[in-house]
Amino acid sequence: MRTLTKPAELEEIEQSIDLILTIDEITSLIEPIGISALSTRKQEWLDEIINYHNEMSQNKRLSHNGRVDFSKFKVQLEWIYNNPSVRRKTDFIKKIRDCYVNNGILCPYCGVSPCRTLDHYYNKALLPQFSFLPANLIPCCGDCNKDKGIKKSFGKWKRIINPYYDNYDSLLPDEPPIVIIFKENPFPNVDMSFVVIANNKLTSIVRKHINFHLKKIRIGLLHQEMISNSFWRNAKQLRLYKTLHNSNQISVQAYDTLIDNLITKNSNINYDWEYIIRFSLFKIKINHWIYNSTLDKLQ
Ligand SMILES: [Zn+2]
């Protein structure tokens, strides 16, 4: 869950794409064998592309029912995706990938590694008609592309996030879509455990998507060190403010100002752990054990 940063040159690439022309070119050629049979189904194909945009914008997912069956052409369409060419007017596939890779844009799924590849949000073997549709091509790192597997986009409830179509508008501007629940751990040498989950202010379906995503991409594990470091630093800071406040060493107004400054508003959806952790520690009651804990690291 990281906002996908679009490199500046992407706009020019996108403007140069004309899928009607691309489909004309593809179906006019004899290679790969069998592709020319699609020349009688061009309108159907273009309608599917329009439907993709409409359904994704409205429902954030494609319906299973009524999908045009292009599975007969999956080998040919996969070949076309794997062999971008100027002649077929599919060179935009390579250009899109290169512009994310060359600009070192971070993977929107995990937020850790740079983009290396394009993920077919809807798998190209199951829905080959979208095998080179730019809206279905999500730049991501190699690990996320490998982990995602085939069916993880199709479920109504169980699907990973989509950086092109998902939004978290139901949250207030200062509420992050993900929060962390920390648990004081009584075992020696462990001190604390945590779980990263969707903010419960989101609608239940969006929460399900985020939680499914966080689990599939193993966010807690990937970001463990960053989360842990940030936790101890911020928990200590909050305890200090609380102590000053409780012992009347600072005024209520001063305390509020300190807290406001700590929880700076941040409307992006990136894994901004400092912000997410401060928000989680202060706003989520279950995390308030940090104020009374006897853990050495919090003293
Ligand atoms: Zn990734």
Side-chain angles (χ1 to χ4, degrees), residues 2-16:
R2 167 172 279 274
T3 310
L4 186 60
T5 312
K6 293 195 170 183
E9 61 262 41
L10 188 71
E11 201 181 323
E12 204 180 315
I13 300 168
E14 285 177 336
Q15 278 171 2
S16 71

Side-chain angles (χ1 to χ4, degrees), residues 107-113 140-145 217 222:
C107 171
Y109 292 148
C110 69
V112 179
S113 310
C140 70
C141 73
D143 285 345
C144 284
N145 201 12
I217 309 287
L222 279 176

Side-chain angles (χ1 to χ4, degrees), residues 53-195:
H53 288 290
N54 291 342
E55 289 177 34
M56 292 301 281
S57 304
Q58 279 170 25
N59 310 324
K60 319 285 180 209
R61 64 187 282 260
L62 294 181
S63 62
H64 281 281
N65 302 334
R67 283 267 83 84
V68 170
D69 184 5
F70 271 34
S71 56
K72 235 169 47 181
F73 301 97
K74 73 176 181 195
V75 174
Q76 288 89 341
L77 290 169
E78 185 160 355
W79 185 90
I80 283 168
Y81 170 75
N82 288 329
N83 294 278
S85 98
V86 175
R87 191 171 171 207
R88 286 187 181 78
K89 301 195 185 303
T90 52
D91 49 324
F92 65 83
I93 300 167
K94 186 178 179 323
K95 286 184 187 169
I96 292 174
R97 181 174 50 228
D98 288 352
C99 95
Y100 280 103
V101 173
N102 296 340
N103 283 285
I105 305 293
L106 286 178
C107 171
Y109 292 148
C110 69
V112 179
S113 310
C115 294
R116 287 274 172 264
T117 177
L118 296 173
D119 171 46
H120 287 82
Y121 193 77
Y122 285 99
N123 185 271
K124 58 185 180 302
L126 297 175
L127 294 177
Q129 60 266 48
F130 305 127
S131 63
F132 56 83
L133 178 67
N136 193 45
L137 301 177
I138 297 180
C140 70
C141 73
D143 285 345
C144 284
N145 201 12
K146 213 166 54 210
D147 280 356
K148 189 172 152 261
I150 281 191
K151 286 192 175 166
K152 289 170 195 158
S153 315
F154 279 93
K156 179 177 181 183
W157 298 93
K158 290 184 175 180
R159 68 157 172 86
I160 64 161
I161 57 135
N162 186 318
Y164 292 152
Y165 290 98
D166 288 345
N167 66 58
Y168 308 104
D169 293 348
S170 66
L171 293 173
L172 295 171
D174 65 342
E175 288 177 327
I178 52 178
V179 295
I180 307 184
I181 306 296
F182 293 98
K183 211 173 141 204
E184 183 173 19
N185 208 316
F187 306 110
N189 306 321
V190 180
D191 297 336
M192 173 276 285
S193 56
F194 66 85
V195 54

